[in-house]
Amino acid sequence: MPDALQLLKTRRSVKPMELTGPAPSAAEIDTLLAIASRVPDHGKLTPWRFIVFTGDGRLAAGEKIAAAFRANRADATPEQIEFERQRLARAPLVIAVVSRAGPHVKIPEWEQQLSAGASAMSLVIAAHAMGFAASWITEWYSYDRRVLDGLGLAANERMAGFVHIGRPSKPPEERERPALAAIVTHYSDPRK
Ligand SMILES: Cc1cc2nc3c(=O)[nH]c(=O)nc-3n(C[C@H](O)[C@H](O)[C@H](O)COP(=O)(O)O)c2cc1C
């Protein structure tokens, strides 16, 4: 197991298609969820929640995705519909992070949304730290109202993403990162 810094320095997302079983155990899933709920949360609002998809639950959710796809695309082929039905069955475990951000007297909605992002990222890092790999994706169905209704999201809730988790079937290739010089400035007082 790499140490924390090494893990953070080398982590790569692994595509859902390349994530295989065995799935994390129920105890491991609980650990993942506990870590995902331990994120910065201004005002202690818990502006996120999780939906866990394992086993047949992944295909039951896939039915909702396929139905929405069919409704959106009159020309959909049976192969395309089947692909959509299998969307959440590519990886052995998928955890959806749902944002519950909303207007608040003191805490800006933006900060609540950022907290959901932190939660999804913690989930990704925790999965890697436990020896799994992960991929945080939204794809089209995170933005489809029919799908969101089918998965039980209220009108004020938004999908922060589906974190796919499994074991990597092959080592990921490196991905280019921005040069720090291009994104970092060191602030200095312009009057001096
Ligand atoms: C909110 C959010 C949604 C994303 N949705 C997708 C997606 O739908 N499809 C995709 O290929 N990557 C998506 N990504 C990017 C991947 O999570 C990942 O960053 C990318 O594959 C690069 O891998 P890396 O994590 O190793 O940099 C999304 C990232 C974020 C933050």
Side-chain angles (χ1 to χ4, degrees):
M1 193 78 72
D3 71 24
L5 280 182
Q6 189 58 18
L7 185 147
L8 290 168
K9 281 162 72 180
T10 58
R11 182 206 60 81
R12 274 262 25 222
S13 294
V14 173
K15 292 189 186 85
M17 278 305 188
E18 294 169 6
L19 293 170
T20 59
S25 66
E28 285 172 324
I29 294 173
D30 276 354
T31 301
L32 287 166
L33 294 168
I35 291 170
S37 24
R38 196 182 181 92
V39 291
D41 169 11
H42 193 179
K44 218 175 164 193
L45 301 178
T46 320
W48 22 258
R49 66 182 181 92
F50 308 106
I51 309 172
V52 179
F53 303 92
T54 52
D56 288 349
R58 299 171 304 160
L59 284 178
E63 297 288 353
K64 310 285 183 188
I65 295 174
F69 185 79
R70 235 184 347 243
N72 295 339
R73 296 268 302 265
D75 61 341
T77 65
E79 293 75 24
Q80 287 172 324
I81 293 168
E82 180 55 18
F83 180 80
E84 298 300 337
R85 206 173 73 84
Q86 298 283 342
R87 277 274 182 195
L88 298 191
R90 291 172 292 180
L93 167 67
V94 179
I95 300 178
V97 179
V98 177
S99 164
R100 309 197 285 183
H104 186 275
V105 283
K106 182 164 168 269
I107 316 297
E109 198 165 335
W110 164 237
E111 295 189 9
Q112 300 172 49
Q113 290 172 340
L114 289 173
S115 184
S119 184
M121 192 60 213
S122 278
L123 206 45
V124 168
I125 293 168
H128 281 264
M130 289 164 71
F132 298 98
S135 184
W136 170 8
I137 59 174
T138 42
E139 301 191 308
W140 69 269
Y141 45 90
S142 289
Y143 299 98
D144 187 284
R145 193 61 246 174
R146 279 194 191 88
V147 173
L148 300 182
D149 287 344
L151 300 183
L153 270 71
N156 63 314
E157 294 184 320
R158 298 181 74 177
M159 192 58 82
F162 291 84
V163 179
H164 290 61
I165 298 168
R167 295 172 204 268
S169 56
K170 60 175 188 184
E173 282 166 25
E174 200 27 50
R175 189 192 213 214
E176 204 184 326
R177 305 293 158 173
L180 291 184
I183 54 168
V184 180
T185 49
H186 292 264
Y187 188 77
S188 59
D189 189 337
R191 293 167 303 180
K192 284 186 186 164

